[in-house]
C-alpha cells in the first residue's frame, strides 16, 4: 500500500474506532492483536510500558521530588533506593532527607556537612547498632583475669583500662590483647584515674593517693575526707585535684603538694561523681576556656565556676524532679557544651550555656543504659557530630 493510501486508510479506521463503545473497541483490539506477529507484539509491549508506567520521580522537578521524599519513613526510603538507578541517585543526593532521619534518631546535625552519602552512612550504621543491641550482638566480651577480689573501680582511656580491686591492687590492661601492663599494690579502690606516668586512686578508707606506674611507689597522699571517696578528677595544667565523697563534700587539692585548698559544701547526699572540664560555650557567668567543676549526688548536679578563685560558690544546681522522686545515677558526662546524666527513668541532656534541658530519652522496659554508652562510639565514627540520646 502506498504511503498516501495508508495514511488515508489509517485516518478512516481511527475515525471509525472513535465511534465504537468500550466493548467494541476491546473486541477490535483483540482481533488486531490476534493477527499480529512477533514484531508487532514487541512494539505493543514497549509502547504500553511507557504509556502505563509514569516515573513521577523522574518527571518532577528535583526540588519537588526532595520535598516529597521528606515525608517518607527511613525504611521506605531504603526500599525506594532499590526501585531503579535513577531513584537511588535522587534519594542518595537529598542531604536534607538523610539529615532528618539522623535527627529523628537524636543526632545533633552539623549543617556544614552537606554530603548526603555521609548522613545516609551515619543512619545505616546507627540502625545496624540498634539491631545488634536488640539481638544482644552489639559487643564482644572477654575476661581480664588477675584480681583475686571484687573489682570496683574502672577507668578507660585510649585502649588502656585501669582496674582497682578489694585485693588492695590496681592493674593496667591493654584491652586489645588482654595483657596486664602494670600491677601495683594500693588500698581498696573506689575510683581510679591515670595517665602515662601516674595513677590516682580514691579509696573506701577515706583517702586519695597518687602512685608511680613504673615503680609502684606512692607519690602523694591526700587526707581530709571523713567518708569513702567515690570520684576524683585532676588537671596537671592547674596542678589541682578534685574529689567527691560519702561525707557530702567536694574537696579541692593541690595535686603536687597534697594540700587541701578548699572544701565545697551544699550536697545532702553522697557525692558520687566529679568532673573538672573546660567550658566551650559562653554565657553570662562563664567564657570559653574557663574551667568548670561539676559534682553530682543522688538527686542534684552542682556547677562550680572553677577559675582563678578557689573559694568559689555554687553557680547552678540542676535536678530533674523537685520532690526528689527521680534518682540520678553516677553516669555524668560533660563535653564543655552539654551535660548528660542518666537517671532511674532515662537520660537527660542540658545545654551548658542556658542550663535548660534540651532532650530527654526515656528508658523503656528492658532497655539497658549501655545503649546510651554505645552512642559515643557511633558519634566517633560520625566524626563527633554530637550526642545521641
Amino acid at each position: 500500500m502506498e504511503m498516501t493510501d495508508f495514511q488515508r486508510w489509517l485516518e478512516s479506521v481511527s475515525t471509525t474506532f472513535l465511534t465504537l463503545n468500550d466493548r467494541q473497541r476491546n473486541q477490535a483490539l483483540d482481533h488486531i492483536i490476534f493477527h499480529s506477529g512477533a514484531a508487532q507484539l514487541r512494539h505493543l509491549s514497549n509502547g504500553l510500558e511507557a504509556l502505563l508506567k509514569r516515573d513521577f520521580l523522574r518527571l518532577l522537578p528535583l526540588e519537588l521530588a526532595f520535598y516529597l521524599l521528606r515525608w517518607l519513613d527511613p525504611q521506605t526510603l531504603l526500599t525506594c533506593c532499590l526501585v531503579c538507578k535513577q531513584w537511588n541517585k535522587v534519594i542518595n543526593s537529598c542531604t536534607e532527607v538523610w539529615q532528618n532521619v539522623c535527627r529523628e534518631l537524636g543526632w545533633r546535625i552539623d549543617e556544614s556537612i552537606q554530603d548526603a552519602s555521609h548522613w545516609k552512612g551515619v543512619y545505616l550504621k546507627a540502625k545496624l547498632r540498634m539491631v545488634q543491641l536488640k539481638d544482644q550482638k552489639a559487643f564482644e566480651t572477654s575476661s581480664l583475669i588477675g584480681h583475686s577480689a571484687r573489682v570496683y573501680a574502672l577507668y578507660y582511656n585510649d585502649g588502656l583500662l585501669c582496674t582497682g580491686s578489694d585485693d588492695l591492687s590496681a592493674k593496667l590492661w591493654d584491652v586489645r590483647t588482654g595483657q596486664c601492663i602494670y600491677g601495683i599494690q594500693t588500698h581498696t579502690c573506689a575510683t581510679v584515674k591515670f595517665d602515662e606516668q601516674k595513677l590516682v586512686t580514691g579509696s573506701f578508707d577515706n583517702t586519695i593517693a597518687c602512685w608511680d606506674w613504673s615503680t609502684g611507689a606512692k607519690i602523694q597522699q591526700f587526707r581530709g575526707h571523713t567518708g569513702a571517696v567515690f570520684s576524683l578528677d585532676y588537671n596537671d595544667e592547674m596542678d589541682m585535684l578534685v574529689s567527691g565523697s560519702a561525707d557530702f563534700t567536694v574537696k579541692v587539692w593541690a595535686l603536687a603538694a597534697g594540700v587541701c585548698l578548699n572544701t565545697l559544701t551544699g550536697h545532702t547526699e553522697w557525692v558520687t561523681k566529679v568532673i573538672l572540664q573546660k567550658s566551650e560555650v559562653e554565657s553570662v557567668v562563664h567564657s570559653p576556656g574557663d574551667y568548670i567543676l561539676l559534682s553530682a549526688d543522688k538527686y542534684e548536679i552542682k556547677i562550680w565556676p572553677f577559675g582563678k578563685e578557689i573559694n568559689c560558690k555554687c553557680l547552678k544546681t540542676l535536678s530533674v524532679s523537685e520532690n526528689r522522686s527521680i534518682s540520678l545515677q553516677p553516669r555524668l558526662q560533660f563535653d564543655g557544651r552539654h551535660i548528660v546524666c542518666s537517671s532511674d527513668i532515662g537520660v537527660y541532656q542540658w545545654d551548658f550555656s542556658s542550663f535548660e534541658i534540651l532532650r530527654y530519652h526515656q528508658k523503656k522496659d528492658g532497655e539497658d543504659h549501655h545503649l546510651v554508652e554505645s552512642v559515643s562510639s557511633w558519634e566517633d565514627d560520625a566524626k563527633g557530630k554530637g550526642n545521641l540520646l
Side-chain angles (χ1 to χ4, degrees), residues 225-246:
H225 281 296
T226 58
V229 179
F230 290 126
S231 181
L232 59 85
D233 200 358
Y234 64 84
N235 183 276
D236 288 315
E237 179 184 352
M238 299 180 70
D239 188 37
M240 288 186 185
L241 179 146
V242 293
S243 57
S245 170

Side-chain angles (χ1 to χ4, degrees), residues 254-266:
L255 181 58
V259 178
C260 182
L261 303 175
N262 195 14
T263 299
L264 308 179
T265 60

Side-chain angles (χ1 to χ4, degrees), residues 108-142:
R108 188 183 68 209
I109 302 302
D110 186 347
E111 299 293 347
S112 65
I113 299 180
Q114 291 297 308
D115 182 4
S117 62
H118 167 83
W119 293 111
K120 181 183 178 183
V122 170
Y123 169 78
L124 292 175
K125 187 173 292 186
K127 195 67 176 178
L128 174 62
R129 181 58 63 89
M130 287 182 172
V131 172
Q132 291 173 335
L133 285 167
K134 184 178 180 180
D135 297 338
Q136 299 182 357
K137 298 178 180 179
F139 305 101
E140 295 181 2
T141 60
S142 59

Side-chain angles (χ1 to χ4, degrees), residues 353-382:
S353 60
S354 64
F355 303 122
E356 295 180 354
I357 293 179
L358 293 179
R359 281 180 284 186
Y360 162 61
H361 171 81
Q362 185 172 3
K363 181 181 178 182
K364 299 178 183 178
D365 293 339
E367 183 181 41
D368 198 346
H369 281 291
H370 66 247
L371 171 62
V372 177
E373 293 170 3
S374 69
V375 165
S376 60
S377 66
W378 299 348
E379 297 195 341
D380 288 343
D381 294 336

Side-chain angles (χ1 to χ4, degrees), residues 12-243:
S12 174
V13 171
S14 301
T15 302
T16 304
F17 184 81
L18 292 174
T19 64
L20 304 176
N21 59 36
D22 287 341
R23 184 176 63 83
Q24 291 171 335
R25 290 182 182 184
N26 291 341
Q27 288 179 349
L29 290 174
D30 289 340
H31 187 75
I32 294 174
I33 291 172
F34 178 77
H35 289 88
S36 298
Q40 289 76 48
L41 293 176
R42 189 180 306 109
H43 174 76
L44 182 63
S45 176
N46 294 336
L48 285 175
E49 183 177 6
L51 290 171
L52 297 177
K53 297 181 180 180
R54 295 296 182 93
D55 189 344
F56 68 91
L57 204 62
R58 185 192 298 267
L59 297 174
L60 287 174
L62 197 57
E63 295 79 5
L64 188 54
F66 285 170
Y67 176 78
L68 292 177
L69 291 172
R70 289 170 53 190
W71 295 92
L72 300 181
D73 62 89
Q75 188 56 49
T76 303
L77 280 172
L78 294 176
T79 302
C80 289
C81 288
L82 303 176
V83 172
C84 64
K85 291 182 178 180
Q86 178 64 23
W87 280 40
N88 185 60
K89 181 179 179 181
V90 172
I91 295 171
N92 286 342
S93 63
C94 186
T95 301
E96 187 176 356
V97 166
W98 294 108
Q99 284 181 337
N100 284 341
V101 298
C102 289
R103 191 178 287 109
E104 289 174 4
L105 286 180
W107 242 271
R108 188 183 68 209
I109 302 302
D110 186 347
E111 299 293 347
S112 65
I113 299 180
Q114 291 297 308
D115 182 4
S117 62
H118 167 83
W119 293 111
K120 181 183 178 183
V122 170
Y123 169 78
L124 292 175
K125 187 173 292 186
K127 195 67 176 178
L128 174 62
R129 181 58 63 89
M130 287 182 172
V131 172
Q132 291 173 335
L133 285 167
K134 184 178 180 180
D135 297 338
Q136 299 182 357
K137 298 178 180 179
F139 305 101
E140 295 181 2
T141 60
S142 59
S143 299
L144 304 177
I145 308 299
H147 287 294
S148 59
R150 178 185 66 165
V151 177
Y152 191 89
L154 298 172
Y155 184 80
Y156 174 84
N157 185 29
D158 195 24
L160 299 176
L161 176 70
C162 181
T163 57
S165 170
D166 283 348
D167 64 6
L168 305 182
S169 74
K171 297 181 183 295
L172 187 65
W173 309 82
D174 185 331
V175 297
R176 299 178 183 88
T177 64
Q179 298 298 311
C180 180
I181 301 173
Y182 290 114
I184 59 177
Q185 293 299 308
T186 61
H187 43 194
T188 56
C189 297
T191 180
V192 294
K193 184 175 180 180
F194 70 91
D195 55 39
E196 294 179 356
Q197 286 78 36
K198 63 182 178 294
L199 164 70
V200 182
T201 60
S203 176
F204 292 104
D205 66 10
N206 308 344
T207 68
I208 305 164
C210 182
W211 314 80
D212 184 293
W213 276 121
S214 58
T215 64
K218 184 187 297 184
I219 304 172
Q220 192 58 261
Q221 190 163 25
F222 307 80
R223 296 182 180 274
H225 281 296
T226 58
V229 179
F230 290 126
S231 181
L232 59 85
D233 200 358
Y234 64 84
N235 183 276
D236 288 315
E237 179 184 352
M238 299 180 70
D239 188 37
M240 288 186 185
L241 179 146
V242 293
S243 57

Side-chain angles (χ1 to χ4, degrees), residues 308-341:
K308 298 179 180 179
E309 179 62 45
I310 298 301
N311 297 315
C312 57
K313 295 182 180 180
C314 180
L315 174 67
K316 183 73 175 179
T317 298
L318 306 177
S319 62
V320 294
S321 60
E322 295 182 0
N323 59 359
R324 296 195 167 193
S325 59
I326 302 174
S327 298
L328 298 176
Q329 298 175 354
R331 299 289 189 272
L332 179 66
Q333 297 292 329
F334 176 49
D335 65 355
R337 294 177 176 272
H338 301 92
I339 301 170
V340 179
C341 189

